[in-house]
Amino acid sequence: MTVSNVPLPQAAVQQQGLRFAFYGRVSTEDNQDPAASRAWQLRRATGLVEPKGGTIVAEYFDVDKSRSIPWARRPQASALIEALKNPVRDFDAVVVGEPHRAFYGNQYSLTFPLFEHFRVPLWVPEVGGAIDPANEAHDMIMGVFGGLSKGERNRIKIRVRSAMAAITATEGRYLGGRPPYGYELIDAGPHPNPAKAADGKRLRRLVAHPAYSLVVKWIFTQFIGGRGIFDIAEELTREGVPSPSAADPTRNQHRIQVAWSKSAVRVIITNPRYTGRQVWNKQRKDEVLLDVEDVALGHTTKLRWNDRDQWVWSEQQAHEALVPVEDFERAQAILASRGRGPATHKPHRTRRPYAFRGCLQCGYCERKMQGNWNNDQAYYRCRFPAEYALANKVVHPKVVYLREAEIIEDIDTWLITAFSPTRIKATIEAMTAQASGTENTAATRFRKQLATCDQRLNQYRAALNAGADAVQVAAWINETEQERARLKGELSAIPADQAVSSDALAELLHQTGELARAVVHACPDDKADLYAKLGLKMMYYPQKQLVEARVVPTSTCANGLCPRGDLNPHAP
């Protein structure tokens, strides 16, 4: 049978039996059942095409994707668009079960021209069949559905925000999220919504933690007494007091810092919930254009702080207060007097250009080194107070410095040499000899963690030679050895990936070489972008006066060692 991509008369549809691809979408798994949503949308689409001899042979269903996301950024919708471009596609037309869920705002006017271009009919139940591009009524109906979809989303947003504001102000109800440091959650009875209560959902409320609430009170007392935030953080770390991430590790699995940071102390001092009042609307979600040059890509959501006059406070005390209101307001006044008020955002200073922005790491702690402008020159530094180093079991100087001018010229020379056309073959052979294929992400992570363990063991032995507490260092060594054995076992259990072809590596290195040659005459800001695209990574080892440089476009392409003082990076 010859497949026609031109909209057919109804009689022809009955005779030939069009093959359809179904498209649907569901917003979130938390609030809607994806299986049930797919079922009713598919049932509606089937009820439209089957009486006319059509059959659904392919499905494209997006789960957990907001209707405001354009088709190009929805995985299944973008896959459907790619299938439209295939002249030997396995379907003749596309059917949508619910246009409200498929199109939002002006998405129909941006998407339907693709169906016209590739001559693939688009069927919707509200039209009773295929959309006729020449029919103004069809175009108007679909435009109305996009507007209704946008209006429905906006009305839901307004209702939810209004309800949460009212619940906070009148009831002081805990609305979810992480409990503040110093509090813990307990059961507060069944949910007031009968349907949710029948599902077993219950309310929760904040109560003071027997130990950490005392830490919060101590922090406010010390700060009001004149101590600085950094001074308070150092003492808490020195005394071994668990930080917020260590006190609640189940909710902070993405954080491994066990020491107190200045930001953690600042968050406590500026949190109004320690006064016993529930507070909501401290932050808002703003939708900003993803690309101002291409509005069709839609928006992305960013969290931003609201001014204090927009915060919603509970009218009555909702939980036990850890700090009197007077002390809280006094702490905010002290912060404001120091020029660092909680709701005051000062303009940023003129940004200095740093060529190795985000590329340079400290060899002691493996953190990214920060740019620091000094004597009209770009430097990179890593600050690590002694108490933080002790808490994290890292032997680290208080400050590590590196001047940009000492390495930039030789790094550029190395990049051009390593990726010149005459060295591409040698580079591919070196990569092939180093590994039979590209390591997967898990294997790379385990190897990096093993290297970190080896580095720590060397540091601990050096600390012993320097006269550190033998009992404490021995405990660190035993702990690291156990971690190293575990990592080796997990690494050995990972299967090897398939090898990357030499042609693919050659094409990658050709593209990388073009970027490398563009580096030499670029300004520092442009260099930073080019280094990022090249995948330049550098590790500075102050104790060896050594910088290790490597390029990782998608896999390790080259390594170079440049001894500080006689910097001359070279490819292997």
Side-chain angles (χ1 to χ4, degrees), residues 435-458:
S436 59
T438 305
E439 289 186 323
N440 60 37
T441 304
T444 303
R445 184 176 70 253
F446 287 137
R447 291 187 186 280
K448 183 177 179 180
Q449 292 175 347
L450 280 171
T452 301
C453 289
D454 292 338
Q455 179 185 355
R456 286 183 178 177
L457 289 173
N458 292 333

mmCIF file of all heavy atoms in Angstrom, residues 435-458:
data_model
loop_
_atom_site.group_PDB
_atom_site.id
_atom_site.type_symbol
_atom_site.label_atom_id
_atom_site.label_comp_id
_atom_site.label_asym_id
_atom_site.label_seq_id
_atom_site.Cartn_x
_atom_site.Cartn_y
_atom_site.Cartn_z
ATOM 1 N N ALA A 435 42.738 3.204 27.234
ATOM 2 C CA ALA A 435 41.510 2.498 27.589
ATOM 3 C C ALA A 435 40.851 1.989 26.323
ATOM 4 O O ALA A 435 40.915 2.628 25.283
ATOM 5 C CB ALA A 435 40.548 3.425 28.342
ATOM 6 N N SER A 436 40.211 0.830 26.411
ATOM 7 C CA SER A 436 39.567 0.245 25.237
ATOM 8 C C SER A 436 38.301 0.987 24.866
ATOM 9 O O SER A 436 37.780 0.824 23.777
ATOM 10 C CB SER A 436 39.235 -1.224 25.504
ATOM 11 O OG SER A 436 38.381 -1.338 26.627
ATOM 12 N N GLY A 437 37.785 1.781 25.736
ATOM 13 C CA GLY A 437 36.573 2.545 25.443
ATOM 14 C C GLY A 437 36.371 3.629 26.453
ATOM 15 O O GLY A 437 37.137 3.785 27.398
ATOM 16 N N THR A 438 35.361 4.406 26.246
ATOM 17 C CA THR A 438 35.034 5.495 27.155
ATOM 18 C C THR A 438 34.441 4.925 28.431
ATOM 19 O O THR A 438 33.484 4.159 28.392
ATOM 20 C CB THR A 438 34.017 6.443 26.494
ATOM 21 O OG1 THR A 438 34.560 6.857 25.245
ATOM 22 C CG2 THR A 438 33.740 7.638 27.379
ATOM 23 N N GLU A 439 34.984 5.323 29.574
ATOM 24 C CA GLU A 439 34.463 4.841 30.835
ATOM 25 C C GLU A 439 33.097 5.450 31.098
ATOM 26 O O GLU A 439 32.849 6.595 30.768
ATOM 27 C CB GLU A 439 35.412 5.228 31.984
ATOM 28 C CG GLU A 439 36.715 4.464 31.981
ATOM 29 C CD GLU A 439 37.529 4.783 33.216
ATOM 30 O OE1 GLU A 439 37.505 5.937 33.641
ATOM 31 O OE2 GLU A 439 38.157 3.877 33.750
ATOM 32 N N ASN A 440 32.219 4.664 31.691
ATOM 33 C CA ASN A 440 30.933 5.239 31.995
ATOM 34 C C ASN A 440 31.040 6.147 33.219
ATOM 35 O O ASN A 440 32.065 6.205 33.901
ATOM 36 C CB ASN A 440 29.878 4.128 32.227
ATOM 37 C CG ASN A 440 30.259 3.215 33.375
ATOM 38 O OD1 ASN A 440 30.806 3.654 34.385
ATOM 39 N ND2 ASN A 440 29.974 1.929 33.205
ATOM 40 N N THR A 441 29.978 6.867 33.459
ATOM 41 C CA THR A 441 30.005 7.891 34.510
ATOM 42 C C THR A 441 30.299 7.291 35.876
ATOM 43 O O THR A 441 31.060 7.852 36.654
ATOM 44 C CB THR A 441 28.654 8.619 34.534
ATOM 45 O OG1 THR A 441 28.395 9.144 33.229
ATOM 46 C CG2 THR A 441 28.669 9.750 35.540
ATOM 47 N N ALA A 442 29.702 6.145 36.191
ATOM 48 C CA ALA A 442 29.906 5.524 37.504
ATOM 49 C C ALA A 442 31.368 5.122 37.699
ATOM 50 O O ALA A 442 31.953 5.354 38.756
ATOM 51 C CB ALA A 442 28.993 4.311 37.647
ATOM 52 N N ALA A 443 31.976 4.518 36.662
ATOM 53 C CA ALA A 443 33.370 4.104 36.774
ATOM 54 C C ALA A 443 34.282 5.303 36.964
ATOM 55 O O ALA A 443 35.218 5.275 37.773
ATOM 56 C CB ALA A 443 33.785 3.318 35.526
ATOM 57 N N THR A 444 34.018 6.381 36.241
ATOM 58 C CA THR A 444 34.823 7.591 36.390
ATOM 59 C C THR A 444 34.718 8.145 37.802
ATOM 60 O O THR A 444 35.709 8.576 38.393
ATOM 61 C CB THR A 444 34.367 8.647 35.362
ATOM 62 O OG1 THR A 444 34.472 8.097 34.051
ATOM 63 C CG2 THR A 444 35.228 9.895 35.462
ATOM 64 N N ARG A 445 33.494 8.133 38.339
ATOM 65 C CA ARG A 445 33.293 8.652 39.688
ATOM 66 C C ARG A 445 34.045 7.814 40.721
ATOM 67 O O ARG A 445 34.685 8.357 41.632
ATOM 68 C CB ARG A 445 31.800 8.676 40.007
ATOM 69 C CG ARG A 445 31.483 9.300 41.367
ATOM 70 C CD ARG A 445 30.001 9.388 41.620
ATOM 71 N NE ARG A 445 29.409 8.078 41.837
ATOM 72 C CZ ARG A 445 28.637 7.453 40.978
ATOM 73 N NH1 ARG A 445 28.358 8.011 39.827
ATOM 74 N NH2 ARG A 445 28.134 6.256 41.247
ATOM 75 N N PHE A 446 33.981 6.481 40.578
ATOM 76 C CA PHE A 446 34.677 5.614 41.530
ATOM 77 C C PHE A 446 36.185 5.797 41.447
ATOM 78 O O PHE A 446 36.881 5.790 42.471
ATOM 79 C CB PHE A 446 34.302 4.148 41.291
ATOM 80 C CG PHE A 446 32.910 3.790 41.738
ATOM 81 C CD1 PHE A 446 32.085 2.992 40.966
ATOM 82 C CD2 PHE A 446 32.428 4.250 42.955
ATOM 83 C CE1 PHE A 446 30.805 2.663 41.379
ATOM 84 C CE2 PHE A 446 31.150 3.934 43.377
ATOM 85 C CZ PHE A 446 30.344 3.148 42.585
ATOM 86 N N ARG A 447 36.718 5.951 40.230
ATOM 87 C CA ARG A 447 38.166 6.155 40.081
ATOM 88 C C ARG A 447 38.593 7.472 40.725
ATOM 89 O O ARG A 447 39.659 7.550 41.346
ATOM 90 C CB ARG A 447 38.547 6.132 38.601
ATOM 91 C CG ARG A 447 38.403 4.759 37.957
ATOM 92 C CD ARG A 447 38.961 4.753 36.545
ATOM 93 N NE ARG A 447 38.698 3.496 35.870
ATOM 94 C CZ ARG A 447 39.410 2.390 36.052
ATOM 95 N NH1 ARG A 447 40.426 2.394 36.881
ATOM 96 N NH2 ARG A 447 39.111 1.279 35.399
ATOM 97 N N LYS A 448 37.772 8.488 40.567
ATOM 98 C CA LYS A 448 38.091 9.769 41.187
ATOM 99 C C LYS A 448 38.072 9.655 42.714
ATOM 100 O O LYS A 448 38.930 10.200 43.405
ATOM 101 C CB LYS A 448 37.091 10.829 40.723
ATOM 102 C CG LYS A 448 37.381 12.220 41.261
ATOM 103 C CD LYS A 448 36.395 13.233 40.698
ATOM 104 C CE LYS A 448 36.700 14.626 41.270
ATOM 105 N NZ LYS A 448 35.752 15.649 40.752
ATOM 106 N N GLN A 449 37.090 8.918 43.242
ATOM 107 C CA GLN A 449 37.013 8.742 44.689
ATOM 108 C C GLN A 449 38.189 7.921 45.214
ATOM 109 O O GLN A 449 38.697 8.179 46.315
ATOM 110 C CB GLN A 449 35.681 8.085 45.050
ATOM 111 C CG GLN A 449 34.479 8.976 44.803
ATOM 112 C CD GLN A 449 33.169 8.252 45.046
ATOM 113 O OE1 GLN A 449 33.131 7.023 45.164
ATOM 114 N NE2 GLN A 449 32.078 9.005 45.107
ATOM 115 N N LEU A 450 38.633 6.927 44.426
ATOM 116 C CA LEU A 450 39.811 6.156 44.822
ATOM 117 C C LEU A 450 41.058 7.042 44.866
ATOM 118 O O LEU A 450 41.879 6.937 45.781
ATOM 119 C CB LEU A 450 40.025 4.996 43.845
ATOM 120 C CG LEU A 450 39.148 3.749 44.048
ATOM 121 C CD1 LEU A 450 39.324 2.790 42.892
ATOM 122 C CD2 LEU A 450 39.499 3.059 45.368
ATOM 123 N N ALA A 451 41.197 7.904 43.864
ATOM 124 C CA ALA A 451 42.340 8.821 43.856
ATOM 125 C C ALA A 451 42.295 9.752 45.063
ATOM 126 O O ALA A 451 43.335 10.075 45.662
ATOM 127 C CB ALA A 451 42.352 9.633 42.551
ATOM 128 N N THR A 452 41.089 10.174 45.429
ATOM 129 C CA THR A 452 40.946 11.027 46.614
ATOM 130 C C THR A 452 41.362 10.274 47.873
ATOM 131 O O THR A 452 42.022 10.837 48.758
ATOM 132 C CB THR A 452 39.493 11.501 46.737
ATOM 133 O OG1 THR A 452 39.129 12.217 45.558
ATOM 134 C CG2 THR A 452 39.316 12.412 47.949
ATOM 135 N N CYS A 453 40.982 8.999 47.969
ATOM 136 C CA CYS A 453 41.390 8.188 49.128
ATOM 137 C C CYS A 453 42.908 8.076 49.199
ATOM 138 O O CYS A 453 43.501 8.203 50.279
ATOM 139 C CB CYS A 453 40.744 6.808 49.048
ATOM 140 S SG CYS A 453 38.965 6.789 49.337
ATOM 141 N N ASP A 454 43.545 7.820 48.067
ATOM 142 C CA ASP A 454 45.011 7.718 48.047
ATOM 143 C C ASP A 454 45.646 9.041 48.473
ATOM 144 O O ASP A 454 46.642 9.049 49.215
ATOM 145 C CB ASP A 454 45.489 7.343 46.643
ATOM 146 C CG ASP A 454 45.083 5.922 46.261
ATOM 147 O OD1 ASP A 454 44.833 5.123 47.188
ATOM 148 O OD2 ASP A 454 45.007 5.633 45.054
ATOM 149 N N GLN A 455 45.068 10.136 47.998
ATOM 150 C CA GLN A 455 45.600 11.446 48.370
ATOM 151 C C GLN A 455 45.458 11.676 49.876
ATOM 152 O O GLN A 455 46.377 12.190 50.534
ATOM 153 C CB GLN A 455 44.866 12.540 47.600
ATOM 154 C CG GLN A 455 45.338 13.952 47.933
ATOM 155 C CD GLN A 455 44.497 15.007 47.241
ATOM 156 O OE1 GLN A 455 43.623 14.702 46.454
ATOM 157 N NE2 GLN A 455 44.757 16.257 47.556
ATOM 158 N N ARG A 456 44.323 11.290 50.431
ATOM 159 C CA ARG A 456 44.123 11.469 51.874
ATOM 160 C C ARG A 456 45.101 10.623 52.679
ATOM 161 O O ARG A 456 45.624 11.082 53.699
ATOM 162 C CB ARG A 456 42.680 11.098 52.232
ATOM 163 C CG ARG A 456 41.655 12.130 51.796
ATOM 164 C CD ARG A 456 40.259 11.724 52.242
ATOM 165 N NE ARG A 456 39.272 12.714 51.876
ATOM 166 C CZ ARG A 456 37.967 12.576 52.100
ATOM 167 N NH1 ARG A 456 37.523 11.466 52.683
ATOM 168 N NH2 ARG A 456 37.134 13.523 51.737
ATOM 169 N N LEU A 457 45.319 9.392 52.227
ATOM 170 C CA LEU A 457 46.262 8.530 52.946
ATOM 171 C C LEU A 457 47.654 9.156 52.967
ATOM 172 O O LEU A 457 48.340 9.136 54.007
ATOM 173 C CB LEU A 457 46.308 7.148 52.293
ATOM 174 C CG LEU A 457 45.048 6.279 52.486
ATOM 175 C CD1 LEU A 457 45.148 5.013 51.650
ATOM 176 C CD2 LEU A 457 44.869 5.922 53.958
ATOM 177 N N ASN A 458 48.076 9.729 51.857
ATOM 178 C CA ASN A 458 49.378 10.403 51.822
ATOM 179 C C ASN A 458 49.404 11.595 52.768
ATOM 180 O O ASN A 458 50.402 11.856 53.450
ATOM 181 C CB ASN A 458 49.700 10.860 50.396
ATOM 182 C CG ASN A 458 49.946 9.682 49.463
ATOM 183 O OD1 ASN A 458 50.353 8.609 49.896
ATOM 184 N ND2 ASN A 458 49.693 9.883 48.176
#
